[in-house]
Amino acid sequence: QVVCFSAMLQVVSVLATISCGCAAAPVKVNTIPHECAADNLPYQVITVEDRYDLYSGDWTSGTPTIHWSLKKADHPKLTAINGCGISPKDNMAYCIANISGKPFLSRVDKNGAAIVARTPDDLSAWSASFDEAGVFWANLDATIWKF
């Protein structure tokens, strides 16, 4: 399920300021907060053949743990997920998700993606993270964006 938040966010890049929002009508979203580990493990969304998995890695052993999987067949409009971070404000996973061929800042969990804001066209997210204030930073094609 792909839905859109009613709130508008401003996307600020090093080069330009763009107001982004959703074209679709707002819909109530039931994304689930992520249970962050007390030891602050690193998380990554990995694309597997038929799904997207949220992994964490153990600093000492390197052993990965899968927290949830999102089946591609259940979400055919969701074509890529990358550049994810877990917000310190609400413990939600936020990613740059390609939906119907367009990139969006989205809340992502095992149930799908909820669109938060539109990002510039034709940009791929290589990495992303939140700072302590809850600001989402993403590396989109070698330019750092602040959401």
Side-chain angles (χ1 to χ4, degrees):
Q1 181 181 10
V2 176
V3 293
C4 184
F5 277 47
S6 59
M8 298 286 280
L9 297 182
Q10 188 175 51
V11 180
V12 181
S13 105
V14 178
L15 304 173
T17 300
I18 302 169
S19 293
C20 295
C22 302
V27 179
K28 185 174 179 178
V29 177
N30 291 319
T31 50
I32 303 166
H34 179 71
E35 297 291 331
C36 291
D39 51 7
N40 197 23
L41 296 174
Y43 292 93
Q44 182 176 10
V45 172
I46 297 177
T47 304
V48 184
E49 266 183 39
D50 62 342
R51 66 186 187 279
Y52 304 100
D53 292 335
L54 178 68
Y55 280 87
S56 66
D58 183 293
W59 288 108
T60 307
S61 70
T63 305
T65 300
I66 298 175
H67 296 277
W68 51 255
S69 292
L70 181 62
K71 293 181 182 176
K72 290 181 179 181
D74 295 340
H75 307 278
K77 292 183 180 183
L78 185 60
T79 57
I81 299 174
N82 208 347
C84 298
I86 304 214
S87 170
K89 298 289 186 182
D90 62 9
N91 288 335
M92 297 287 190
Y94 290 80
C95 303
I96 304 299
N98 281 3
I99 301 167
S100 297
K102 301 288 183 185
F104 294 90
L105 173 61
S106 302
R107 285 165 80 164
V108 179
D109 68 9
K110 65 182 179 183
N111 298 314
I115 295 169
V116 176
R118 183 80 163 78
T119 65
D121 281 341
D122 302 325
L123 294 180
S124 299
W126 297 344
S127 60
S129 187
F130 279 91
D131 62 22
E132 287 126 8
V135 176
F136 185 77
W137 296 85
N139 178 354
L140 301 174
D141 288 339
T143 300
I144 305 298
W145 291 76
K146 175 183 176 183
F147 292 81

